[in-house]
């Protein structure tokens, strides 16, 4: 198996997380001056040097297009800056820093592995943690962030469940608690010191463009998103819709939510088969959803339409040896360790990027044999940056 020749911007000594598929894309070197506030914000950054790193950013788009065998994608403009975090600098106490995690919660294997990677890496680097689970709900996360902030952690990592938490993130930042957004984004005025995630625009656009080209530029398409209101679902879908709008002969007949659950997705797909028997393709943001789709169409004795999503081992195993056509890319749950590293860098007063993009290979059914792990269970997301010993210890592989 081969991975892209990028190197991590921050080397970790951790055994559990190794530099392979998940890497950091550093885009620009800029500076931030704080104006009467203890909160560091990208909004105040001087990004005059952003153009110097634009080639690194655009390469991710061209590489993804090449991997999926589609025409070049037009990158969305991004302004990524290096933030001055000196106002947050503090010496670590004898017991190490205390960093809070406002997590999605273990509502699926992605959430469970994300939290496990965070906690294991915290142990490895001597960081104490506070934890609260949103159980996939933004309203719950509002209370979680307030409660975590009241315990005065040195920093906080938040997996955003929706824009409704923005006020609480701002409040935490105003208390002098640096907040790192992890695997999700909020508006630029959230007060977060840095955001560590994948490129939603890239994923949503690439999936849509692949599907359009697979259908020859015409046909009926259904869109299946994860959790309503969650950035990972909404921003990818918005990017896809912009692509579909460029093709007048592509008709998006419905958009529905699968809650990132194979069971829910199967119910949704059962209804699609009834309501849209002539459906040509399915844009999906989720391997969980894809698994339910394959189950529904297979049980109905119908051909599975071409579809997209992230790459769960369960989906790859379910489609191995079949004629199902798909385009996938990983949304690595173990990026939470990078979020933790970013928080520690902020506390050390080291410059960090206001946007850290995690990169991972994209592939189609033609290359799936390189990524499926027959020695591992359904809950693994592939390719994984966790080493085999850790995967075995976590019960993900044998």
């Amino acid at each position: 198996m081969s991975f892209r020749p990028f190197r991590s911007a921050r080397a970790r000594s951790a055994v559990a997380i190794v530099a392979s598929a998940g890497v950091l894309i550093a885009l620009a070197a800029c500076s931030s001056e704080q104006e009467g506030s203890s909160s560091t914000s990208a909004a105040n950054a001087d990004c005059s040097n952003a153009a110097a790193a634009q080639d690194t950013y655009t390469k991710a788009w061209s590489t993804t297009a090449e991997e999926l065998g589609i025409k070049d994608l037009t990158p969305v403009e991004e302004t990524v800056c290096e933030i001055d975090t000196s106002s947050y600098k503090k010496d670590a106490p004898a017991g190490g820093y205390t960093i809070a995690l406002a997590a999605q919660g273990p509502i699926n294997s992605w959430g469970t592995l994300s939290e496990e990677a965070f906690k294991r890496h915290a142990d490895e680097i001597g960081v104490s943690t506070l934890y609260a689970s949103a159980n996939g709900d933004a309203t719950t996360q509002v209370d979680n962030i307030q409660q975590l902030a009241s315990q005065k952690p040195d920093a906080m990592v938040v997996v955003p469940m929706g824009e409704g938490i923005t006020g609480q993130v701002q409040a935490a930042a105003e208390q002098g608690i640096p907040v790192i957004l992890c695997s999700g984004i909020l508006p630029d005025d959230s007060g977060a010191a840095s955001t560590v995630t994948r490129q939603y625009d890239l994923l949503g656009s690439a999936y849509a463009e692949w599907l359009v080209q697979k259908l020859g530029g015409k046909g009926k398409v259904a869109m299946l998103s994860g959790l309503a209101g969650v950035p990972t679902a909404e921003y990818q879908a918005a990017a896809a819709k912009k692509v579909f709008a460029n093709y007048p002969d592509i008709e998006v007949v419905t958009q529905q939510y699968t809650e990132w659950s194979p069971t829910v997705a199967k119910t949704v797909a059962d209804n699609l088969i009834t309501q849209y028997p002539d459906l040509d393709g399915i844009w999906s943001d989720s391997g969980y959803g894809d698994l339910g789709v394959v189950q529904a169409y297979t049980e109905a004795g119908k051909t599975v339409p071409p579809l997209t999503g992230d790459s769960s081992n369960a989906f790859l195993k379910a489609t191995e040896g079949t004629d199902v056509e798909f385009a996938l890319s990983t949304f690595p749950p173990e990026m939470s360790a990078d979020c933790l590293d970013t928080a520690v860098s902020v506390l050390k007063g080291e410059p960090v990027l206001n946007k850290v993009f995690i990169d991972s290979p994209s592939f189609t059914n033609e290359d799936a044999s390189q990524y499926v792990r027959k020695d591992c269970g359904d809950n693994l997301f592939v390719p994984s940056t966790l080493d085999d010993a850790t995967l075995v210890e976590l019960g993900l592989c044998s």
Side-chain angles (χ1 to χ4, degrees):
M1 183 183 301
S2 61
F3 298 105
R4 299 181 187 172
F6 293 126
R7 295 294 301 275
S8 174
R10 183 181 298 104
R12 288 199 292 265
S13 61
V15 175
I17 310 291
V18 295
S20 55
V23 296
L24 308 184
I25 301 178
L27 303 188
C30 312
S31 64
S32 171
E33 296 295 335
Q34 297 192 38
E35 300 178 358
S37 170
S38 61
S39 170
T40 301
S41 171
N44 298 323
D46 173 11
C47 299
S48 58
N49 295 325
Q54 191 64 30
D55 288 346
T56 305
Y57 171 70
T58 56
K59 183 178 180 179
W61 290 71
S62 60
T63 300
T64 298
E66 181 179 354
E67 289 170 337
L68 297 183
I70 58 179
K71 68 179 185 181
D72 284 345
L73 300 166
T74 302
V76 174
E77 290 187 9
E78 287 282 0
T79 303
V80 179
C81 310
E82 189 175 87
I83 301 300
D84 178 3
T85 65
S86 58
S87 65
Y88 287 126
K89 184 177 181 180
K90 61 167 64 176
D91 293 332
Y97 295 120
T98 297
I99 299 180
L101 174 62
Q104 167 194 290
I107 61 173
N108 51 36
S109 60
W110 187 96
T112 300
L113 188 51
S114 172
E115 294 168 18
E116 185 65 30
F118 184 93
K119 294 173 182 176
R120 291 172 72 88
H121 191 45
D123 288 342
E124 291 158 358
I125 63 176
V127 167
S128 299
T129 61
L130 301 173
Y131 170 80
S133 167
N135 290 318
D137 180 67
T139 301
T140 300
Q141 194 167 56
V142 167
D143 293 334
N144 288 349
I145 295 172
Q146 291 174 333
Q147 293 171 9
L148 290 171
S150 71
Q151 299 177 63
K152 302 186 184 304
D154 295 308
M156 186 183 301
V157 173
V158 177
V159 180
M161 290 293 98
E163 291 190 6
I165 69 168
T166 302
Q168 282 62 47
V169 170
Q170 291 171 335
E174 288 169 0
Q175 294 175 46
I177 302 171
V179 178
I180 308 302
L181 302 180
C182 185
S183 306
I185 61 178
L186 290 178
D188 289 340
D189 63 354
S190 68
S194 181
T195 297
V196 181
T197 191
R198 288 222 64 190
Q199 297 180 47
Y200 293 127
D201 289 315
L202 171 56
L203 291 176
S205 300
Y207 294 160
E209 192 64 57
W210 177 86
L211 193 56
V212 167
Q213 294 187 38
K214 179 61 61 175
L215 300 181
K218 60 182 179 180
K220 295 181 178 180
V221 173
M223 295 185 64
L224 303 184
S225 298
L227 281 170
V230 176
T232 304
E234 302 297 0
Y235 282 91
Q236 287 191 66
K241 289 176 182 177
K242 290 180 181 178
V243 171
F244 290 139
N246 294 327
Y247 297 91
D249 292 329
I250 291 290
E251 180 185 1
V252 178
V253 296
T254 185
Q255 180 184 4
Q256 300 186 42
Y257 293 92
T258 65
E259 300 179 16
W260 292 318
S261 162
T263 302
V264 175
K266 183 178 182 301
T267 299
V268 170
D270 284 334
N271 292 331
L272 289 179
I273 292 170
T274 300
Q275 297 174 15
Y276 307 101
D278 56 348
L279 193 66
D280 297 297
I282 296 176
W283 180 97
S284 167
D285 63 8
S286 167
Y288 292 121
D290 294 345
L291 184 60
V293 169
V294 169
Q295 291 171 344
Y297 274 83
T298 300
E299 290 179 9
K302 295 180 65 68
T303 300
V304 181
L307 74 170
T308 67
D310 61 10
S311 54
S312 73
N313 204 40
F315 175 75
L316 292 183
K317 289 165 69 176
T319 55
E320 189 173 22
T322 71
D323 295 328
V324 178
E325 296 180 296
F326 52 80
L328 308 177
S329 190
T330 307
F331 199 90
E334 57 267 32
M335 74 173 77
S336 59
D338 292 296
C339 303
L340 178 57
D341 280 338
T342 302
V344 171
S345 292
V346 170
L347 293 173
K348 290 181 177 179
E350 299 171 352
V352 301
L353 298 177
N354 69 322
K355 298 174 185 175
V356 179
F357 292 120
I358 303 295
D359 196 33
S360 188
S362 299
F363 59 95
T364 69
N365 51 285
E366 295 179 358
D367 299 315
S369 61
Q370 300 179 42
Y371 297 95
V372 63
R373 291 289 300 268
K374 299 178 183 179
D375 60 326
C376 300
D378 291 349
N379 292 332
L380 181 68
F381 284 80
V382 291
S384 175
T385 60
L386 297 171
D387 64 21
D388 286 349
T390 299
L391 292 175
V392 171
E393 184 179 344
L394 292 174
L396 294 169
C397 301
S398 58

